[in-house]
């Protein structure tokens, strides 16, 4: 999802087309994907102006029988990224337990932000250097953004809900960084890449 949705964003920028419109034009034969994209972008107020140093990015994915649209809003200052808000729309088929779906997506988003911004396993002398959360950076509670989840009503068979929130977050976040800074992120975690720009 990171590679595909990042590349689609690059194509939209190269074509001079809004990234949401560009995706919608490609999703003519995928109404569920188009719908979650439209719900997420509408609820995130896509297109409304943002101050300098802020940006919104988008991604849409289909995996495990579920569809997810994500909009991430970030602030980039001094090479540091702060995720301000994440809006998700999910069509996972029939929602058996909506509160569990919301919690799974929120947890997946937190894990996705952690992976996109910080988490890296490094090897030295044939051994993993990280041993625990003391040297493996994770998102802290005070860094966690507002995460809004919209469950799209659907009569389709239930799909998976554990992984989509994590997978769809990274490209939305890096596309938001591009919107804020003009710098493309093609490698995760983001880490020091913005400081060397």
């Amino acid at each position: 999802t990171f590679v595909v949705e990042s590349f689609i964003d690059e194509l939209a920028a190269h074509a001079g087309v809004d990234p949401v419109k560009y995706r919608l034009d490609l999703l003519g034969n995928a109404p569920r994907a188009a719908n979650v994209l439209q719900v997420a972008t509408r609820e995130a107020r896509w297109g409304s102006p943002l101050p300098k140093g802020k940006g919104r990015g988008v991604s849409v994915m289909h995996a495990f029988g579920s569809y997810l649209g994500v909009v991430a809003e970030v602030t980039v200052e001094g090479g540091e990224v702060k995720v301000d808000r994440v809006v998700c729309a999910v069509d996972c088929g029939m929602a058996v337990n909506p509160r569990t779906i919301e919690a799974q997506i929120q947890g997946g988003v937190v894990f996705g932000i952690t992976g996109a911004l910080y988490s890296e396993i490094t090897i030295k002398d044939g051994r993993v250097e990280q041993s625990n959360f003391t040297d493996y950076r994770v998102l802290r509670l005070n860094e966690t953004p507002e995460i809004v989840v919209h469950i799209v009503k659907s009569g389709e068979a239930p799909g998976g809900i554990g992984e989509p929130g994590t997978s769809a977050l990274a490209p939305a976040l890096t596309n938001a960084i591009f919107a804020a800074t003009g710098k493309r992120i093609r490698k995760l975690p983001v880490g020091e890449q913005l400081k060397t720009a």
Side-chain angles (χ1 to χ4, degrees):
T1 304
F2 174 66
V3 172
V4 171
E5 283 298 297
S6 296
F7 188 58
I8 288 176
D9 218 67
E10 286 198 45
L11 291 173
H14 185 71
V17 177
D18 175 84
V20 173
K21 182 184 180 332
Y22 194 88
R23 283 172 174 81
L24 287 170
D25 289 345
L26 295 173
L27 292 172
N29 294 325
R32 291 175 72 190
N35 187 38
V36 293
L37 178 60
Q38 290 171 318
V39 171
T41 54
R42 180 185 68 236
E43 296 300 325
R45 300 180 301 277
W46 185 268
S48 62
L50 290 171
K52 188 176 184 285
K54 287 186 176 277
R56 281 189 199 100
V58 65
S59 75
V60 63
M61 71 170 286
H62 171 224
F64 311 104
S66 294
Y67 294 81
L68 187 67
V70 177
V71 177
E73 190 172 304
V74 303
T75 301
V76 181
E77 189 174 347
E80 296 289 329
V81 178
K82 178 182 177 289
V83 183
D84 301 313
R85 186 170 189 246
V86 176
V87 177
C88 306
V90 60
D91 176 351
C92 57
M94 187 180 356
V96 177
N97 189 333
R99 296 299 299 264
T100 298
I101 294 167
E102 181 181 19
Q104 285 286 104
I105 295 294
Q106 289 171 334
V109 165
V110 169
F111 194 62
I113 294 169
T114 294
L117 292 182
Y118 314 117
S119 296
E120 182 175 24
I121 298 293
T122 55
I123 310 289
K124 183 176 181 183
D125 298 327
R127 298 188 71 144
V128 171
E129 293 185 289
Q130 294 73 25
S131 63
N132 209 325
F133 293 120
T134 55
D135 49 15
Y136 182 79
R137 174 88 158 84
V138 294
L139 192 71
R140 297 179 178 104
L141 186 58
N142 68 320
E143 299 167 324
T144 302
E146 175 188 12
I147 303 168
V148 181
V149 180
H150 296 276
I151 301 170
V152 174
K153 193 169 187 167
S154 175
E156 299 291 332
I161 206 64
E163 292 89 348
T166 301
S167 304
L169 187 278
L173 190 153
T174 56
N175 291 337
I177 291 171
F178 172 75
T181 67
K183 174 153 176 65
R184 280 283 174 205
I185 303 295
R186 295 187 177 96
K187 179 183 169 194
L188 295 175
V190 172
E192 302 290 313
Q193 294 178 72
L194 292 173
K195 293 178 183 171
T196 58

